Amino acid sequence: MHNTDKSTKNTEDIYQKIRDTFDIRDLLTTKNPIRKELEIKNVIYDKSTNSTGSKGEQYYISEENKGKQRIIIYQNDKEGNTYKTPRYSNETYIKDKGDLYQFLKNRVENKSDYNVHKLLEKHDFFNKAKEWKKAIDVEHVYTKKTSKKTAPFKIEDYSNLEPITATIESEEPHYLNGRGISNDILLDPAFVDKVYVYDYTDDYGKTHQNIFFPKLENGEIKGAEVKTPYNKGYCFGKDKLLWFSNKPDMVKKVVIVESAINAISHKQLDTYSNKNTWYFSTNGNFYEARIDTLFKELEKEGIDKNEVLMSLATDNDYDGLKYDLAFINRMTEEKDRFHMDSYDGKPSISFETFDHSKKAEIHKFFIQVNNALNKTYRLARENKFITIEGEKNKLHLVFPGKEKIKRVAGAFSRSLIKNVSFVSMHKIKTDKSKMGNDWNDELKNKMGIKIKRKPEELKKKVAYKIKR
């Protein structure tokens, strides 16, 4: 027992010394004997690209045993909190992440603390590390950034593309089964010829099956949502194009989701209520050009957006609320607009107008939301509250942080549509998942499949009622 305590203390001491002396960025960007022993070669720093949210630095390395890898180094987490020492994530081997100590541990024999210590001692790390930091050895490049949403698309590049029905008929497993999606729902008339598969060989010689959701323009495939078995999603082709399901003979409801997988999941969760539903995927972003594409597709099929029920089934999170507000602005067709903003450095849900009567109505609505939510926070013994701030033509519902907006996102959209007269007059509703952030999370939960999300993303959303 005492030996174990001593070993743990020793490891903690060494870890602290490493933190004070050297970090993962130093290891990769300098000429040092540890990097050489780990057989890391050709380190390239791509200065054109940062990882979303954490403003990370992107590196490409070649390692003798693991081949080419893409490494993201970041100092802050996505909430803006600063780590004591830089962290890394390996985008090629997703389990490889942490700080410098973890990087070394993942590469020494048996992944043992003992062998990490042995490696450091061999190269007199604590006496030599400061000198190593002076020997910068990294190639800097600036590549032209290509958004995954605007990546070039040629249907000829998918030579082995075939409908997923062929895979189902041959009784072969596929990636969507692991996401809780049944073969029966994929054979539903809504999704026939709307889901394809193809074999893809990556830069490292590994071949796997990708899922391909075609985006059409005038009946031809001009783009796609692509999902890999590594949970990576990509969009190809014209940025404004949307994936959509087959149109039912009678359209009673149009459901807007953020991915084709969420559309299929939503339908599987309630096939009866959605038998006359036409699904559209925003491809993870719903800005003006994509809203235009949706409206034009409806108009082309003779569907009046003001007569059919428009259901916002976007993700139950901050971005989902942002897309809901953008869509509500377009449906009301007014110069007034709701949007995600900030006030005095804090995130806000804001309304901008020159119409005094509307400003008065939204002010009353914001007061009701403010009172209801702050009551909920007081009962939960939380000490950070919402405030209302005003400017000449703006009103802000100001939150302490984005996390509190995430927790209330679905409830806010719903109450806005229900309680604001110039919004409720339109045939709009919201439909949000109750588990996780999206409809596939809810489906996986129903099917007993573990949801792989951060614990804070699985927190129960905050609901509230407005007293009228």
Side-chain angles (χ1 to χ4, degrees):
M1 179 67 181
H2 293 293
N3 289 338
T4 302
D5 290 342
K6 185 176 180 180
S7 176
T8 302
K9 180 70 166 57
N10 188 38
T11 299
E12 291 174 352
D13 288 344
I14 290 177
Y15 179 82
Q16 183 61 46
K17 287 181 181 179
I18 292 173
R19 175 187 291 173
D20 295 340
T21 309
F22 216 59
D23 60 42
I24 180 64
R25 186 187 290 110
D26 295 326
L27 177 74
L28 295 184
T29 61
T30 64
K31 190 174 184 179
N32 62 79
I34 294 180
R35 190 179 85 170
K36 183 177 181 181
E37 180 157 335
L38 295 177
E39 297 184 306
I40 296 172
K41 305 173 183 177
N42 303 324
V43 179
I44 298 172
Y45 173 29
D46 183 355
K47 299 183 72 173
S48 64
T49 310
N50 286 334
S51 63
T52 303
S54 61
K55 299 193 180 301
E57 300 170 1
Q58 179 169 265
Y59 293 83
Y60 295 97
I61 68 172
S62 294
E63 198 171 340
E64 187 67 26
N65 294 328
K66 294 188 175 186
K68 295 180 180 178
Q69 299 158 63
R70 176 173 168 250
I71 304 290
I72 304 294
I73 296 178
Y74 50 95
Q75 190 74 51
N76 301 322
D77 65 17
K78 291 186 178 181
E79 301 301 324
N81 302 309
T82 303
Y83 293 114
K84 292 182 179 179
T85 187
R87 304 292 183 93
Y88 78 95
S89 63
N90 190 327
E91 302 298 299
T92 308
Y93 300 96
I94 58 175
K95 292 184 179 181
D96 182 21
K97 56 186 176 181
D99 55 18
L100 173 62
Y101 192 92
Q102 191 62 51
F103 186 90
L104 298 176
K105 189 172 179 179
N106 287 344
R107 285 159 177 79
V108 298
E109 188 177 356
N110 299 325
K111 296 185 177 182
S112 70
D113 292 320
Y114 172 80
N115 284 326
V116 173
H117 302 170
K118 187 177 178 181
L119 175 66
L120 297 176
E121 289 172 3
K122 176 180 177 181
H123 297 289
D124 196 13
F125 173 83
F126 297 110
N127 291 320
K128 300 290 182 62
K130 288 184 180 180
E131 287 300 314
W132 299 342
K133 291 172 76 170
K134 299 176 183 178
I136 302 299
D137 181 31
V138 59
E139 179 182 352
H140 289 229
V141 299
Y142 192 97
T143 60
K144 183 178 179 181
K145 185 176 179 181
T146 302
S147 167
K148 68 179 181 181
K149 298 179 182 65
T150 58
F153 175 83
K154 292 182 180 179
I155 192 64
E156 296 80 14
D157 292 340
Y158 304 86
S159 57
N160 58 355
L161 192 68
E162 65 176 13
I164 200 168
T165 49
T167 303
I168 294 171
E169 288 167 1
S170 64
E171 299 183 350
E172 295 177 17
H174 54 80
Y175 169 72
L176 294 180
N177 290 152
R179 297 288 293 264
I181 293 173
S182 71
N183 288 339
D184 288 342
I185 199 68
L186 292 169
L187 296 174
D188 186 279
F191 305 120
V192 172
D193 292 330
K194 291 293 183 177
V195 186
Y196 289 72
V197 296
Y198 69 97
D199 292 329
Y200 175 76
T201 302
D202 61 24
D203 294 338
Y204 309 102
K206 296 180 180 179
T207 300
H208 54 260
Q209 189 184 69
N210 285 345
I211 307 296
F212 179 102
F213 301 99
K215 297 192 291 185
L216 304 180
E217 185 176 51
N218 299 322
E220 295 185 17
I221 298 176
K222 293 295 184 179
E225 286 184 35
V226 171
K227 199 72 178 177
T228 76
Y230 306 113
N231 290 325
K232 291 288 185 180
Y234 302 92
C235 287
F236 298 94
K238 288 186 179 180
D239 197 36
K240 67 177 182 178
L241 295 182
L242 305 176
W243 175 92
F244 49 84
S245 64
N246 292 310
K247 183 178 76 68
D249 293 334
M250 180 184 294
V251 179
K252 292 186 177 180
K253 179 169 60 174
V254 171
V255 171
I256 300 162
V257 292
E258 290 189 35
S259 72
I261 287 180
N262 280 329
I264 298 168
S265 300
H266 186 275
K267 174 103 175 179
Q268 184 173 326
L269 284 162
D270 190 353
T271 53
Y272 179 78
S273 297
N274 290 300
K275 60 184 177 181
N276 292 312
T277 295
W278 196 7
Y279 287 96
F280 285 81
S281 164
T282 70
N283 304 329
N285 198 341
F286 206 31
Y287 54 88
E288 293 297 318
R290 289 184 178 175
I291 297 175
D292 284 339
T293 298
L294 168 63
F295 287 167
K296 287 176 183 177
E297 194 64 33
L298 296 178
E299 184 179 357
K300 187 174 75 175
E301 295 296 331
I303 297 171
D304 187 340
K305 68 180 185 294
N306 295 308
E307 295 298 326
V308 69
L309 179 62
M310 306 295 291
S311 180
L312 294 168
T314 51
D315 291 0
N316 199 356
D317 59 15
Y318 182 91
D319 285 341
L321 174 57
K322 180 172 68 176
Y323 305 147
D324 288 354
L325 297 180
F327 184 77
I328 288 169
N329 290 337
R330 289 296 300 274
M331 286 294 289
T332 57
E333 296 181 341
E334 301 286 351
K335 292 181 180 179
D336 322 290
R337 69 187 190 106
F338 297 94
H339 58 107
M340 310 305 285
D341 202 347
S342 64
Y343 182 87
D344 197 23
K346 296 180 180 179
S348 67
I349 302 172
S350 302
F351 180 66
E352 188 172 355
T353 184
F354 289 97
D355 186 316
H356 293 296
S357 63
K358 288 181 179 177
K359 187 175 182 180
E361 182 177 4
I362 296 302
H363 186 233
K364 180 182 177 181
F365 172 66
F366 277 5
I367 290 173
Q368 292 170 327
V369 174
N370 178 80
N371 292 342
L373 283 176
N374 283 341
K375 180 180 178 181
T376 301
Y377 299 145
R378 280 192 293 270
L379 290 172
R381 296 186 177 182
E382 297 183 28
N383 58 5
K384 293 183 179 180
F385 301 99
I386 298 167
T387 62
I388 299 171
E389 306 293 342
E391 297 179 86
K392 183 177 180 181
N393 63 320
K394 281 185 179 182
L395 286 170
H396 304 276
L397 188 62
V398 184
F399 289 74
K402 281 189 177 181
E403 180 59 35
K404 285 199 171 179
I405 297 182
K406 290 178 185 177
R407 290 166 58 193
V408 77
F412 184 87
S413 294
R414 185 165 54 251
S415 64
L416 173 65
I417 292 168
K418 181 179 179 181
N419 294 288
V420 175
S421 63
F422 60 90
V423 178
S424 61
M425 64 186 290
H426 296 274
K427 297 185 72 171
I428 312 171
K429 66 166 285 190
T430 61
D431 190 11
K432 303 295 180 180
S433 61
K434 297 176 181 63
M435 171 56 67
N437 281 351
D438 59 37
W439 293 104
N440 190 244
D441 280 349
E442 183 150 324
L443 177 62
K444 286 191 290 188
N445 181 64
K446 182 180 179 180
M447 303 298 290
I449 300 171
K450 185 177 180 181
I451 302 173
K452 295 180 180 179
R453 287 193 184 275
K454 295 177 181 178
E456 61 267 23
E457 293 180 326
L458 299 178
K459 284 182 179 178
K460 186 177 180 181
K461 306 299 179 180
V462 174
Y464 60 89
K465 290 184 179 180
I466 290 177
K467 293 182 179 180
R468 306 186 70 182

